[in-house]
Amino acid sequence: MSGFSAGWLALREPADQAARNPELLASLEAIFSGRKSLSIVDLGCGTGSNLRACAARLAPFQRWTLVDHDPALLAAARETLSRWADSGKPSGEELRLRRDGKQIAVRFRQADLATELAPILDGSPDLVTAAALFDLVSPVWLEKFAAEVSRHQAVLYTALTYDGTERWTPVHAADQDVIAAFHAHQSTDKGFGPAAGPRATAILEAAFRAVGYEVRSGPSPWRLGPESSALIRELAEGGARAARETGLIPEASIRAWLEARREAAACEIGHLDLLARPAR
Ligand SMILES: C[S@@+](CC[C@H](N)C(=O)[O-])C[C@H]1O[C@@H](n2cnc3c(N)ncnc32)[C@H](O)[C@@H]1O
């Protein structure tokens, strides 16, 4: 349904966790320090990687709503989180987990963010968060999102938004062409209108400043070497698939690039994280 498999999300999770910008994570922790409980909405949750990355930084009692349009990913999230927790049990619609001294209640909500954002935020969460989502959405949606989050005066923390930079080692003659085609593919419609792609963080930053928020962003690149060869291979496959779909590059060039890139020694993929809070 969404084009993101649980297998792909599991493959990227360790790289995502290692890449998150540590200063912004520390600032997120500081904003809510002293709070006993928090309500949090995670948009485009996949299998719950964002919860697993943030829970240790947040209050002793956490109520999470995990939102995705893909029911298979929501089912995988329920399973993955149950395995991740020190202990846990379902309670009605909720999953009640304990992990490292935190009590975490999780609800799962199947919804389309393109059309159902306002009702999703109706409960006025303290924190709205999302990982690896915003490059998929449109600039218009980002403006509406900022207005909606600010209506609730919620904090926004987002991680791992693709920023358009890629460095592959060793270099290949088709790198620039394939990356340009990948960027063209990035701005195609992913269900929200033409996507913001690598411009998403800049648009988000301006939109949140315009509604009176203090905003900080910071880099969270994947720096992948031989220990991440499976992820490098999947990135190469995904890049080639996207480039092929644009029709901008001869098939022979894509094939030659893919053959070399499957075995690339290293690559760096740029992301940005962002933290926005109502001005004090
Ligand atoms: C790149 S994945 C990131 C998943 C997760 N946040 C993570 O970091 O592993 C993007 C997620 O957004 C979800 N998504 C995409 N379009 C959506 C929409 N219109 N409504 C709700 N979820 C959507 C996908 O199903 C997928 O789980």
Side-chain angles (χ1 to χ4, degrees):
M1 180 181 188
S2 69
F4 297 97
S5 71
W8 160 247
L9 297 180
L11 185 61
R12 62 174 288 171
E13 183 163 345
D16 283 345
Q17 309 283 20
R20 281 176 188 254
N21 185 281
E23 282 86 26
L24 290 196
L25 264 178
S27 299
L28 172 68
E29 186 169 3
I31 288 174
F32 292 114
S33 72
R35 286 282 298 265
K36 287 224 158 33
S37 69
L38 276 186
S39 63
I40 304 143
V41 173
D42 181 23
L43 305 175
C45 63
T47 69
S49 160
N50 199 23
L51 184 161
R52 290 187 286 281
C54 297
R57 305 281 189 155
L58 300 172
F61 297 92
Q62 301 171 23
R63 274 174 290 112
W64 285 76
T65 304
L66 265 50
V67 183
D68 208 287
H69 63 167
D70 185 334
L73 288 179
L74 288 170
R78 186 179 276 274
E79 261 183 53
T80 313
L81 285 166
S82 301
R83 278 199 308 274
W84 165 83
D86 297 328
S87 65
K89 58 176 186 328
S91 168
E93 289 296 288
E94 256 178 29
L95 197 55
R96 297 219 172 135
L97 307 174
R98 281 175 183 268
R99 165 93 183 196
D100 295 337
K102 310 280 184 186
Q103 292 189 34
I104 305 168
V106 191
R107 282 174 183 261
F108 301 89
R109 180 160 176 176
Q110 188 189 351
D112 182 356
L113 294 169
T115 53
E116 296 173 74
L117 181 63
I120 288 166
L121 299 184
D122 257 357
S124 277
D126 300 299
L127 172 64
V128 176
T129 184
L133 175 75
F134 290 126
D135 40 63
L136 303 177
V137 310
S138 65
V140 171
W141 189 90
L142 286 169
E143 308 269 343
K144 283 194 196 138
F145 172 67
E148 202 56 47
V149 172
S150 77
R151 200 163 66 80
H152 297 285
Q153 292 291 285
V155 171
L156 169 70
Y157 167 67
T158 180
L160 299 152
T161 307
Y162 178 62
D163 77 357
T165 54
E166 302 209 7
R167 267 184 291 278
W168 291 76
T169 307
V171 293
H172 185 276
D175 276 345
Q176 291 316 313
D177 289 349
V178 174
I179 291 168
F182 184 69
H183 288 173
H185 190 272
Q186 274 264 312
S187 56
T188 59
D189 190 340
K190 312 289 188 315
F192 297 81
R199 298 179 299 131
T201 302
I203 294 169
L204 211 47
E205 202 157 341
F208 272 88
R209 283 195 207 288
V211 294
Y213 271 48
E214 293 171 9
V215 186
R216 285 174 54 204
S217 60
S220 53
W222 281 345
R223 295 202 176 92
L224 309 177
E227 72 295 339
S228 305
S229 57
L231 181 53
I232 288 178
R233 254 196 315 281
E234 276 306 309
L235 280 171
E237 299 283 354
R241 205 164 36 243
R244 191 173 280 129
E245 278 174 26
T246 66
L248 292 171
I249 309 186
E251 178 58 27
S253 301
I254 296 180
R255 245 189 265 136
W257 183 86
L258 178 57
E259 206 167 302
R261 284 293 163 249
R262 275 200 194 106
E263 306 304 326
C267 75
E268 183 172 326
I269 308 288
H271 301 110
L272 290 166
D273 297 355
L274 179 144
L275 183 62
R277 66 182 298 185
R280 284 157 288 180

